[in-house]
Amino acid sequence: MLITYRILTILLWPWIFVFSLLIPGAKNFLRNRKEDKRRILSYPFAPKAQKVVWLHASSVGELDQCKALALVYKKKEPETFILQSVFSDSVRDSSLEAFPADLKFRLPLDFPWSYDFILDKFSPQVLVCMAWDRWPNLLQAAKRRRIQTVLASAVITSPKGFVQKKFYKAAFSLFDKILTSHSSGEEKFRELLGDKKVIKTLGDSRFDSVIQKIETSQREFKRPKNYPFSQVFLLASTYEPCEKLLLPLLQEPSLKNTAFWIFPHKTDPSRITQLESEIKSFTSDYTLYSRTEFDSLSSRVILFDVLGILAHAYRAADFAYVGGALHNRVHNVLEPAYFGLPLLSGPRITHAPEAIELNHRGGLFIIRTKEEVLEILQLSSERKEAIRFSNRQFVETGRGAAERIYSEISLSPIPNRGY
């Protein structure tokens, strides 16, 4: 299976080159990686002068997982040189620049020859991927150099069909250790890989990132002074399917004392203009966050058109809808769970074990219709208090996962592969 994958990636290269000439997005994708390669090659680094750890994140959520682990390394081993790579273009340059690593870059495409310039220059002792990310050519290149390979905060969805199962087994077998986020993941990995593989449940380091971000922030977020609505329903990371379901609730008489705070997934001007138009079709009682001093606002609908506020705004809400799962997959549920909010989500949560666990505990509700939403927004105060305690407790159980992952990685010598 790995040989087949290797051959297919080689055959794919000419087509990617053609696409990069025809499609602007593909051209930018490759150009960014070319610029990163030039920057890496020119970076002043003395080979084998210090310990090097390479952390890799697929996207924004996995970057949070890496951040918690990177901070532990900076605390325990300040002399260790940390490489941080990401793959998805959804990771903003500003987020990558602010990351606590010594060198940050975007992962090259997974061809057999893609990583030699990184591995030859930095000779990392450890490569840590997060969640479900596995790049076979990268992992094989690391194994040939006897680099310890770890999948941390690991999750897995059950493979569908014979071919996918064979690929999963071949790819995940390339890791020396798989450190799962939850016990259910450990069971699935053991079923796939057998009992001889080192698989341990140590938790999800994203818990630490969420807790650290909230608890170290100096920002106080409260409702506007004399705010006239008794209940705040916060809509986080919304897409068009989310708004199509939820905005009609603005016309429900039973929710006349419920304010809607909307944080769209994207805040570019065209998206905000479109969303303003949709809100106006249901109510004129709205305002844009950036237009008015927040403490003086009295609008029922507040559309937040700036970044960096969401994690703190949960503090002032009563309920939170977390977007993405009506059409794709759910976004971060840990931040609102930290504040104990009853959570609402679409049904597509299978990739997120923390969302599944919160659902099992009764603190996250799967919604598909506005009638289901109405029922949840009218929960009794006793039920809301029970959920608040349960959700908050769940987040606390994840505290310290990054330290546990660090300790497990540090215990292991570099594997003797016999190459």
Side-chain angles (χ1 to χ4, degrees), residues 330-331 333 345 349 352-360 364 366 394:
V330 70
H331 283 233
V333 298
S345 165
I349 64 171
E354 64 277 9
I356 294 171
E357 181 63 23
L358 286 165
N359 177 246
H360 287 167
L364 183 147
I366 302 299
F394 170 67

Side-chain angles (χ1 to χ4, degrees), residues 140 142-146 174 416-419:
Q140 289 184 96
K143 286 173 76 72
R144 285 194 296 271
R145 291 168 170 80
R146 299 179 61 211
L174 293 170
N416 183 1
R417 307 188 189 281
Y419 287 101

Side-chain angles (χ1 to χ4, degrees), residues 65 152-154 179-183 200-208 397-398 400-402 404-405:
Q65 293 170 327
S153 301
L179 310 177
T180 60
S181 60
H182 297 85
S183 57
K200 297 182 180 181
T201 299
L202 298 182
D204 186 343
S205 58
R206 189 183 308 172
F207 283 70
D208 292 305
T397 63
R404 294 190 291 273
I405 292 168

Side-chain angles (χ1 to χ4, degrees), residues 80-232:
T80 293
F81 190 90
I82 298 178
L83 299 170
Q84 176 64 56
S85 59
V86 297
F87 184 79
S88 173
D89 282 343
S90 65
V91 178
R92 295 182 175 89
D93 290 340
S94 58
S95 299
L96 202 52
E97 289 168 6
F99 191 88
D102 298 285
L103 182 61
K104 288 86 71 171
F105 57 94
R106 300 190 181 277
L107 191 75
L109 290 175
D110 195 46
F111 298 110
W113 56 82
S114 293
Y115 311 103
D116 290 341
F117 74 101
I118 301 171
L119 298 175
D120 290 343
K121 180 161 188 169
F122 295 100
S123 299
Q125 283 76 49
V126 183
L127 168 65
V128 184
C129 296
M130 290 291 176
W132 47 267
D133 216 11
R134 69 278 176 194
W135 296 101
N137 285 325
L138 169 60
L139 293 169
Q140 289 184 96
K143 286 173 76 72
R144 285 194 296 271
R145 291 168 170 80
R146 299 179 61 211
I147 297 168
Q148 183 186 176
T149 54
V150 179
L151 182 64
S153 301
V155 297
I156 186 173
T157 55
S158 299
K160 298 177 182 178
F162 175 79
V163 174
Q164 190 178 66
K165 184 175 182 179
K166 289 281 287 183
F167 176 73
Y168 273 31
K169 185 172 184 178
F172 285 119
S173 292
L174 293 170
F175 288 103
D176 296 309
K177 288 191 173 186
I178 295 179
L179 310 177
T180 60
S181 60
H182 297 85
S183 57
S184 59
E186 180 175 343
E187 293 171 6
K188 290 178 182 178
F189 275 111
R190 289 196 184 283
E191 182 181 343
L192 180 70
L193 303 176
D195 291 332
K196 292 184 179 180
K197 174 65 69 173
V198 179
I199 305 171
K200 297 182 180 181
T201 299
L202 298 182
D204 186 343
S205 58
R206 189 183 308 172
F207 283 70
D208 292 305
S209 285
V210 168
I211 293 170
Q212 188 268 344
K213 177 167 66 173
I214 294 171
E215 294 185 351
T216 60
S217 173
Q218 301 299 313
R219 184 167 198 154
E220 284 286 334
F221 200 99
K222 300 178 181 179
R223 297 183 190 184
K225 189 176 182 180
N226 300 319
Y227 198 54
F229 299 94
S230 60
Q231 181 168 274
V232 172

